[in-house]
Amino acid sequence: MKLRAGVLAAAFAMVAPAAMAQQGTLRVGMAAQDMGRLDPHFAVSTIDRVPMPWVFNGLVRFPPGSIDAAAIEPDLAERWETSADGRTWTFHLRRGVRFHGNYGELTADDVVFSLRKAANAQTSAFSADLRAIETVEAVDPYTVRIVLKENVPNLLGILTNYAGGFIVSRRAVEERGDGFNRAPIGTGPFALERVTPNQSAEFVANPAYFRGAPQIARISYRFIPSDASRDLAFQNRELDLNYGRSDQTWVNRVRQQQGVTVDVFEPAELAIINVNVTQPPFNDIRVRQALAMAVNRAEMVRWRGQDTSREGQSLVPRGYLGFTADNGLLPHDLNRARALLAEAGYPNGLTVRVVHTQLPEMLAAMQVIQQQLRRAGITLDLQVVEHATFHQQIRQNLSPLVYYSAARFPIADIYLTQFYHSRSIVGTPTAVTNFSHCGMADAEIDAARVSTDRAEQLRLWAAAQRKLVENVCGIPLIETLLVFARRDNVDYGYQLRGSLSLGPQITEASRLR
Amino acid sequence: MMTAPAALAVEDLRTEFRIAGTWRSAVRGVSFGLARNETLALVGESGCGKSVTALSIMGLVQPPLGRVAGGRILLEGQEVAGLPEKQWEKLRGDRIGMIFQEPMTSLNPVMTVGDQVAEALVIHKGLSRAAALEKARALFEEVKIPSAATRLREYPHQFSGGMRQRVMIAMALACEPAVLLADEPTTALDVTIQAQVLGLLADLRERHGMAVLFITHNLGVVAQIADRVAVMYAGQIVEEGPVANIFAAPAHPYTRALFAAIPRLDQPHQALSAIPGRVPPLDAMPVGCAFASRCPEKRAGCEAPQVLAHVGAAHRARCHVATGATAFEAAGAAVQDTR
Amino acid sequence: MIWFVAKRLLAAVPTLLAVLTVVFIIVRIVPGDPALVILGDQATAEAAAALRTRLGLDQPMWVQYWTFVSNALTGNFGASLVTGRPILEEVGAVLPHTIDLTLASMVLGVVVGVPVGIWAALHRNGAIDVAARLLSLLGLSFPVFVSGIYLLLLFGLYWRLFPVIGNADLSDFGDRLHKVVLPAVALGLTMAAYITRVTRSAMLHSLGEDYIRTARAKGVPWRRVVWVHGLRNASLPVVTVVGLYVGILIGNSVLTEIVFNRPGLGKIIVGALNQRDYAMLQGLMVIYCFLIVVVNLVTDLLYGVMDPRVKQA
């Protein structure tokens, strides 16, 4: 009897930790048909971004559940130093971090390789983010030195577990070549097991994860493009996490279900109508101002939902470093809008042809705006085209008004540069997404980027926003937050307030109850 | 005639079709008898009710399209009119067979001819497929289809028209029926083939002692094959009698008109006379003689109902001009005649 | 027979080339840029141009065309522009699902459609016929994204007989069968509706033929007349229609695949189109075309077996 108990106890002792450490499969439903490229430096779509922090780490990271740039903390780097001029940064790596599979220990070599890869337009979609980096070198196997060409607002931000900051295994990339896109190797809590095209990506816990073995054994990341059937599957307990819609009725409906929590989190996507200031009739500031006053943001928020959206206040989303609401944004005023139109020579209103996408969510928003503008006498003649066509045509200046909704790294610089710096004007070789052709804030944006004085930097960004808003380069509409529903058996292990990967991070502390 | 029952006796057959919701008679009181080893030719223009008469005898006029509304059909003395379908199926193809006009379309294109002939044997005689095929081979030889054994496995489209009609005959004869209905079996064939098929039919009748009801619109064919002739017009028999009598002295103006329409080789300059006018439609059938509107000898009395009355021994006609009988006078005689 | 198949496959080559050319041109005429899809909207125009160069999209059309055709003819369809996965691998992964769904829907469509069609034909203008015609009209006009959701609600959520997520484990036959049921019902009933109509009219036509009268004159029992003589002839147009429909099923089941969360060819085609994945689209079209050719060939062979009048030499 005693012997038996002893054997049992021994057996438990062996089995229990493993059993407790690894329980169950987390099933995540995602609104997409398939993943694209799994190389983190090419992960641009939401579906590709969400699982990246499960698999990869950066030198530093946002604490899980947060997108607060001030809270950035060590990840693969234990600590770092910066030179007096802010141009030279030295990172000391954590020791004993191992890549998935048999790809060995992470060394400075991998970090150097990763950052150079991320900075190269041939091997990364995020090369522009790392433009300021002059050199990256390994000082020794556990030390990396980065030298900057010019100051940047937040180098740590670039090196977080986001976009170009993800660290990959050099050996894996070199061995696998293009195959790395399908079989990536990182250091994160989960390793990619396989992708079944059109079905799912399967991840398994990385027991050697440097923060400890994850408590969740597997993640099944399911691609379910139909909202209706994804919701049914979630309701039917075939999913633990469900990509939600930023739509009040959806949120309300799902909240009514038993044992379900809806998380609404940052970053918000700011929707802006970008106005091409070089094309008539919008080359007349009065017409642009009329447009700005015809828009009713409060009504849009009521339409989209109080829980999932809020009014846009500037041409930079709120909460981003450098954001200011004090920028002279024109209030909703139909009478003044009509008066301005009449003054500009359109007493009977005007009609504009606008190219727009057929994506249902974006189309519905545009139709609300169409109604609002009509009250001021502005008629939008919507040319509804397929989404990829939309993206191409707005980059060919085929639409004087461009509805664009985006979230970016939460620093004013990125948003301002991509949307309102003359370098980014569409149709030029350096084009990104400047549809307004505005360049009047170039000086402020450029100066702020390299400023080492935070107060001065904030002042410059505020000035840039004021200029752009006053010139009505764009009209901020609403900010839409991200929504995920989870069954109550899912415990993220942190409070989900924000996630730059646009979906919940699953960490070593996340568990299934 | 109190001897053995006739192979087939039809009495006062009335067959109707539903046209625009109303039942209309296509066959109006047809009566005839058919003895073993006898051929009766049923003659008339298309649409006169010959084929409907044959189909009625086969029990193939069925609701909702048509119905046998009155009269009796005696097959070897057994009343068959009004039998349930199950019992009809037992008789058809076994005691009574039928050959159709169109050999091109009357055979199932996706079954081998052997199987089509064997089918009746399997159903009625309970033979195995192999035994039935063997019997079919013998039948093929009997109807003079060359290389019978190989041809059994072929499909209808591989046969010529004449050969197909031989297949049809083999099929109809498979179970040695007492009565064979041949509905214009040679009409679609070349003249030389026609003669061969007619000869074959005559031979077979002789050998098997069948009663044959031979339906045709071609009086030329009638002379070759029939013992007796019944001429139909608008659903009625208008004249009947032995072939010789009718050919020698056609009594009814319609019969005479039919003869006038036959091209004759012995008269070089002849005026082929088509019959003017047309058969009255079913929904506008006159009370009196149905032929009156087309008849060159039309006179007073034609508007009254006509009866079949004797013009000679076993030779009767339905025309008061030819027989001098009115409906009223002949009523009694007509009743006797049909018995 | 082998000659016939070989000749038919050979004859399909020009068709294939024509389709390839048309697809090649069409995907390039449609506006949209795969580089933008791959790099995302933060990429600079320079980066997009660099990527287009790397993908060979900046080459003259005829060079791209020649590369594509010569590769395709040697069986090399390349890799997806977006995922980088080899196209054959991608298609191979979903093809079994597509075939499962196609076959299951076809079987269901035929098993339901043919008897109902026959029944309707035999009771022409009767209550059953009218009911069958109404139901088939309903079946034809009900889109899968409506009927599918109802099926899921009823059988998935309410009765819990089938899962909502329908991607099956290919190595588990039972699982494949289990998960193909609902989508096959959704797709198969539409097909059944169609087959019902075709069968009904083919049967009516066939039952009006002279050989049916011949069979009845032979004393063949009515049931056998219908099922042997009538159906064998009526099945010829039905087989043609089924063959055509299977071709449609293979590519057009995209809605069913999306609603029931199944992988499949249709879904890949739509995805490739949305992402302007030229390589994928081209490869898929070749494969799709090939499948259609095979289906047509099988239909023709079947036709030859069923109709002795069709010569195959």
Side-chain angles (χ1 to χ4, degrees):
Chain A
M1 194 64 199
K2 251 187 187 164
L3 182 72
R4 213 190 204 175
V7 170
L8 268 177
F12 262 95
M14 283 166 67
V15 172
M20 280 177 59
Q22 311 225 317
Q23 35 146 264
T25 300
L26 176 73
R27 300 156 305 170
V28 185
M30 194 63 200
Q33 186 167 310
D34 205 339
M35 294 191 75
R37 298 182 170 227
L38 298 167
D39 178 333
H41 302 145
F42 276 107
V44 293
S45 61
T46 305
I47 177 139
D48 291 352
R49 279 176 190 263
V50 171
M52 285 305 139
W54 306 348
V55 178
F56 297 96
N57 296 93
L59 285 175
V60 294
R61 70 169 188 175
F62 290 97
S66 158
I67 60 164
D68 179 3
I72 288 174
E73 62 183 25
D75 197 12
L76 293 174
E78 280 178 323
R79 60 200 160 80
W80 52 89
E81 299 113 29
T82 167
S83 65
D85 66 353
R87 297 268 179 98
T88 305
W89 292 68
T90 310
F91 291 88
H92 302 279
L93 301 185
R94 195 188 283 263
R95 293 178 188 234
V97 174
R98 302 196 64 82
F99 282 108
H100 303 149
N102 49 4
Y103 283 91
E105 192 188 359
L106 168 107
T107 64
D109 193 35
D110 294 296
V111 176
V112 171
F113 174 82
S114 298
L115 293 180
R116 284 183 182 160
K117 173 177 176 302
N120 180 350
Q122 296 290 315
T123 51
S124 161
F126 306 114
S127 56
D129 296 355
L130 288 81
R131 204 174 30 227
I133 294 180
E134 170 107 28
T135 57
V136 189
E137 289 160 332
V139 178
D140 64 55
Y142 298 102
T143 312
V144 175
R145 181 181 301 134
I146 297 172
V147 178
L148 301 176
K149 286 184 210 148
E150 54 180 27
N151 235 309
V152 291
N154 189 341
L155 177 69
L156 289 182
I158 296 171
L159 301 177
T160 53
N161 52 345
Y162 166 78
F166 286 117
I167 304 301
V168 298
S169 157
R170 174 178 188 168
R171 186 151 68 83
V173 173
E174 287 176 350
E175 268 180 27
R176 299 186 175 186
D178 266 355
F180 191 78
N181 272 319
R182 284 163 275 149
I185 294 291
T187 50
F190 295 88
L192 179 77
E193 186 185 57
R194 67 192 144 85
V195 177
T196 312
N198 276 283
Q199 293 191 44
S200 69
E202 303 293 328
F203 300 87
V204 290
N206 169 16
Y209 184 52
F210 64 84
R211 286 192 176 92
Q215 303 199 40
I216 290 172
R218 309 179 61 90
I219 304 174
S220 180
Y221 188 53
R222 310 262 170 93
F223 319 143
I224 309 178
S226 155
D227 289 338
S229 32
R230 200 176 59 255
D231 291 349
L232 284 180
F234 180 69
Q235 203 180 335
N236 206 27
R237 297 168 193 274
E238 290 175 47
L239 295 173
D240 304 302
L241 285 186
N242 185 14
Y243 179 81
R245 269 174 277 169
S246 307
D247 170 291
Q248 195 67 40
T249 41
W250 187 90
V251 170
N252 291 345
R253 201 179 67 230
V254 176
R255 277 189 175 148
Q256 280 171 4
Q257 292 173 24
Q258 282 287 310
V260 170
T261 304
V262 176
D263 293 304
V264 180
F265 57 97
E266 309 275 351
E269 266 195 358
L270 171 60
I272 294 175
I273 291 186
N274 294 281
V275 188
N276 187 340
V277 300
T278 64
Q279 270 184 31
F282 299 111
N283 52 354
D284 185 333
I285 178 84
R286 290 168 301 187
V287 178
R288 301 204 295 274
Q289 285 167 339
L291 196 67
M293 285 188 284
V295 165
N296 184 345
R297 277 175 283 271
E299 190 183 57
M300 289 207 75
V301 169
R302 282 199 301 279
W303 165 73
R304 182 45 72 72
Q306 304 283 352
D307 288 345
T308 59
S309 67
R310 58 195 179 208
E311 291 183 35
Q313 295 177 322
S314 176
L315 293 176
V316 170
R318 66 173 93 170
Y320 283 27
L321 182 64
F323 160 86
T324 179
D326 175 24
N327 53 34
L329 187 64
L330 293 171
H332 174 60
D333 189 336
L334 280 179
N335 290 330
R336 278 197 60 203
R338 279 204 209 88
L340 277 166
L341 277 184
E343 208 179 299
Y346 301 101
N348 301 318
L350 56 95
T351 299
V352 203
R353 272 169 73 104
V354 173
V355 177
H356 198 62
T357 174
Q358 64 180 14
L359 277 195
E361 211 163 285
M362 283 176 74
L363 183 56
M366 196 57 167
Q367 283 162 341
V368 171
I369 290 161
Q370 193 181 29
Q371 289 304 318
Q372 292 183 351
L373 296 185
R374 185 167 290 156
R375 292 180 207 140
I378 301 169
T379 307
L380 294 189
D381 175 11
L382 292 186
Q383 307 291 308
V384 178
V385 297
E386 192 268 338
H387 195 62
T389 307
F390 165 75
H391 268 290
Q392 193 177 43
Q393 293 192 340
I394 58 175
R395 283 169 174 77
Q396 297 166 338
N397 288 315
L398 293 176
S399 187
L401 301 180
V402 175
Y403 175 104
Y404 211 94
S405 185
R408 293 288 179 258
F409 191 77
I411 292 181
D413 175 55
I414 307 280
Y415 221 92
L416 290 173
T417 303
Q418 289 187 4
F419 286 95
Y420 302 102
H421 193 287
S422 58
R423 185 157 26 92
S424 306
I425 292 174
V426 292
T428 64
T430 52
V432 190
T433 45
N434 182 342
F435 304 107
S436 65
H437 293 245
C438 281
M440 66 283 288
D442 282 8
E444 286 84 353
I445 298 170
D446 286 337
R449 185 180 309 116
V450 296
S451 169
T452 47
D453 176 353
R454 181 49 57 86
E456 170 68 2
Q457 197 173 39
L458 294 176
R459 196 192 61 72
L460 287 166
W461 278 331
Q465 288 169 68
R466 175 165 284 278
K467 267 194 177 176
L468 294 166
V469 169
E470 278 177 353
N471 276 289
V472 199
C473 295
I475 303 159
L477 304 170
I478 51 170
E479 295 182 7
T480 309
L481 293 152
L482 290 163
V483 179
F484 259 80
R486 75 182 140 93
R487 306 212 75 86
D488 286 345
N489 63 328
V490 180
D491 178 3
Y492 291 136
Y494 58 85
Q495 180 86 35
L496 178 56
R497 290 196 200 85
S499 168
L500 273 187
S501 63
L502 313 179
Q505 283 191 46
I506 308 302
T507 70
E508 74 289 348
S510 305
R511 60 198 181 97
L512 288 167
R513 279 195 290 252
Chain B
M1 293 212 288
M2 293 307 292
T3 52
L8 177 69
V10 173
E11 294 172 10
D12 198 24
L13 178 70
R14 182 167 292 276
T15 303
E16 299 179 338
F17 287 94
R18 203 182 174 91
I19 296 166
T22 313
W23 290 101
R24 305 281 185 190
S25 297
V27 174
R28 306 185 291 152
V30 165
S31 303
F32 59 83
L34 193 55
R36 276 178 53 80
N37 201 15
E38 183 190 29
T39 301
L40 170 66
L42 203 52
V43 180
E45 284 172 285
S46 29
C48 70
K50 310 175 303 247
S51 295
V52 173
T53 304
L55 290 174
S56 303
I57 295 166
M58 290 295 286
L60 290 177
V61 176
Q62 292 174 340
L65 298 177
R67 66 180 184 194
V68 172
R72 303 175 66 193
I73 300 166
L74 296 166
L75 184 61
E76 296 181 295
Q78 181 197 355
E79 168 73 87
V80 294
L83 279 185
E85 177 64 17
K86 280 279 144 221
Q87 295 188 35
W88 262 120
E89 282 168 1
K90 289 206 178 76
L91 292 171
R92 276 188 223 126
D94 188 24
R95 302 315 307 143
I96 184 165
M98 187 160 176
I99 309 170
F100 296 96
Q101 178 174 357
E102 289 293 338
M104 299 300 195
T105 56
S106 293
L107 288 169
N108 188 334
V110 302
M111 266 172 104
T112 62
V113 291
D115 278 332
Q116 295 190 56
V117 173
E119 194 176 19
L121 291 162
V122 171
I123 291 167
H124 296 298
K125 302 295 181 207
L127 298 186
S128 70
R129 180 162 176 264
L133 279 172
E134 179 51 32
K135 178 84 198 294
R137 193 189 55 76
L139 283 161
F140 269 33
E141 279 166 2
E142 192 172 357
V143 298
K144 303 195 172 58
I145 295 175
S147 348
T150 44
R151 301 228 75 180
L152 275 183
R153 289 191 296 274
E154 293 183 357
Y155 290 91
H157 71 276
Q158 291 161 297
F159 285 70
S160 67
M163 284 298 151
R164 279 185 222 182
Q165 203 56 295
R166 286 172 199 261
V167 173
M168 285 295 293
I169 293 169
M171 200 186 298
L173 292 184
C175 300
E176 307 202 7
V179 176
L180 178 68
L181 308 183
D183 186 357
E184 309 251 15
T186 59
T187 308
L189 304 178
D190 290 347
V191 182
T192 47
I193 311 287
Q194 213 173 62
Q196 290 172 14
V197 171
L198 286 176
L200 175 67
L201 270 175
D203 283 357
L204 291 169
R205 186 201 81 185
E206 201 74 30
R207 204 174 313 152
H208 297 281
M210 287 178 301
V212 177
L213 180 67
F214 194 95
I215 296 172
T216 183
H217 64 276
N218 186 346
L219 280 169
V221 169
V222 171
Q224 291 179 48
I225 193 153
D227 303 311
R228 287 193 298 128
V229 179
V231 180
M232 271 189 89
Y233 185 79
Q236 289 178 322
I237 291 179
V238 294
E239 181 166 5
E240 67 170 335
V243 170
N245 298 23
I246 296 215
F247 273 65
H252 197 281
Y254 176 63
T255 314
R256 288 205 293 277
L258 281 181
F259 276 110
I262 305 175
R264 297 185 66 129
L265 295 175
D266 52 349
Q267 292 178 0
H269 301 291
Q270 54 188 317
L272 267 187
S273 52
I275 305 173
R278 54 188 194 96
V279 184
L282 291 188
D283 53 358
M285 206 51 84
V287 179
C289 177
F291 188 62
S293 62
R294 307 166 75 183
C295 184
E297 298 168 48
K298 182 187 174 187
R299 64 195 64 178
C302 290
E303 71 289 345
Q306 303 294 311
V307 293
L308 267 181
H310 283 276
V311 288
H315 182 182
R316 299 183 299 171
R318 193 187 291 275
C319 175
H320 69 106
V321 180
T323 64
T326 64
F328 180 72
E329 292 166 24
V335 170
Q336 277 175 3
D337 282 340
T338 54
R339 294 290 140 107
Chain C
M1 172 87 163
I2 290 165
W3 252 115
F4 174 73
V5 173
K7 255 167 63 182
R8 284 291 306 266
L9 286 178
L10 222 60
V13 170
T15 318
L16 217 61
L17 267 178
V19 169
L20 283 186
T21 310
V22 170
V23 169
F24 180 87
I25 293 169
I26 285 181
V27 295
R28 280 167 177 76
I29 286 177
V30 176
D33 181 357
L36 264 180
V37 175
I38 295 168
L39 293 178
D41 61 352
Q42 300 194 49
T44 61
E46 278 166 334
L51 181 62
R52 276 195 293 274
T53 306
R54 207 150 52 81
L55 295 174
L57 296 174
D58 61 333
Q59 307 235 344
M61 279 285 198
W62 66 269
V63 174
Q64 292 186 47
Y65 180 71
W66 175 246
T67 314
F68 161 58
V69 171
S70 53
N71 281 343
L73 288 181
T74 56
N76 173 13
F77 296 108
S80 156
L81 296 184
V82 176
T83 66
R85 289 194 285 251
I87 286 161
L88 282 180
E89 193 179 287
E90 192 117 343
V91 171
V94 301
L95 204 55
H97 298 278
T98 294
I99 290 173
D100 282 0
L101 180 58
T102 306
L103 284 183
S105 314
M106 188 188 80
V107 167
L108 201 80
V110 171
V111 164
V112 173
V114 169
V116 173
I118 292 174
W119 206 10
L122 293 183
H123 301 84
R124 190 180 184 178
N125 295 328
I128 289 161
D129 183 26
V130 172
R133 268 174 12 213
L134 271 179
L135 277 176
S136 78
L137 195 67
L138 210 66
L140 284 175
S141 44
F142 236 85
V144 161
F145 55 83
V146 176
S147 60
I149 294 291
Y150 278 116
L151 286 174
L152 282 179
L153 271 174
L154 217 59
F155 292 94
L157 251 61
Y158 191 71
W159 286 320
R160 300 191 168 274
L161 293 172
F162 298 99
V164 175
I165 299 180
N167 46 12
D169 178 1
L170 284 180
S171 58
D172 181 348
F173 183 74
D175 191 44
R176 281 166 82 165
L177 208 60
H178 185 217
K179 289 186 172 150
V180 85
V181 172
L182 283 189
V185 166
L187 211 54
L189 286 188
T190 316
M191 182 173 174
Y194 195 52
I195 299 292
T196 298
R197 309 205 124 214
V198 174
T199 306
R200 177 182 177 273
S201 72
M203 202 65 192
L204 281 176
H205 183 261
S206 148
L207 287 180
E209 292 281 354
D210 289 348
Y211 52 78
I212 293 297
R213 196 182 53 189
T214 307
R216 299 197 64 200
K218 268 191 291 191
V220 178
W222 179 235
R223 186 183 288 270
R224 187 175 153 83
V225 169
V226 170
W227 288 93
V228 176
H229 293 267
L231 185 56
R232 260 221 221 158
N233 284 281
S235 57
L236 297 174
V238 175
V239 163
T240 312
V241 167
V242 169
L244 283 174
Y245 206 95
V246 166
I248 296 171
L249 275 183
I250 292 175
N252 272 22
S253 43
V254 56
L255 279 180
T256 316
E257 287 162 3
I258 287 175
V259 170
F260 291 97
N261 309 303
R262 289 177 62 84
L265 264 193
K267 214 160 138 184
I268 295 195
I269 291 178
V270 171
L273 197 60
N274 280 336
Q275 301 185 307
R276 299 294 188 271
D277 193 338
Y278 298 156
M280 191 77 189
L281 272 178
Q282 287 162 182
L284 281 169
M285 282 304 136
V286 178
I287 290 156
Y288 185 62
C289 223
F290 180 74
L291 284 177
I292 297 287
V293 167
V294 169
V295 168
N296 284 348
L297 186 61
V298 169
T299 311
D300 282 359
L301 287 176
L302 253 177
Y303 218 100
V305 171
M306 297 174 62
D307 188 345
R309 286 165 294 187
V310 176
K311 275 266 182 237
Q312 290 167 358

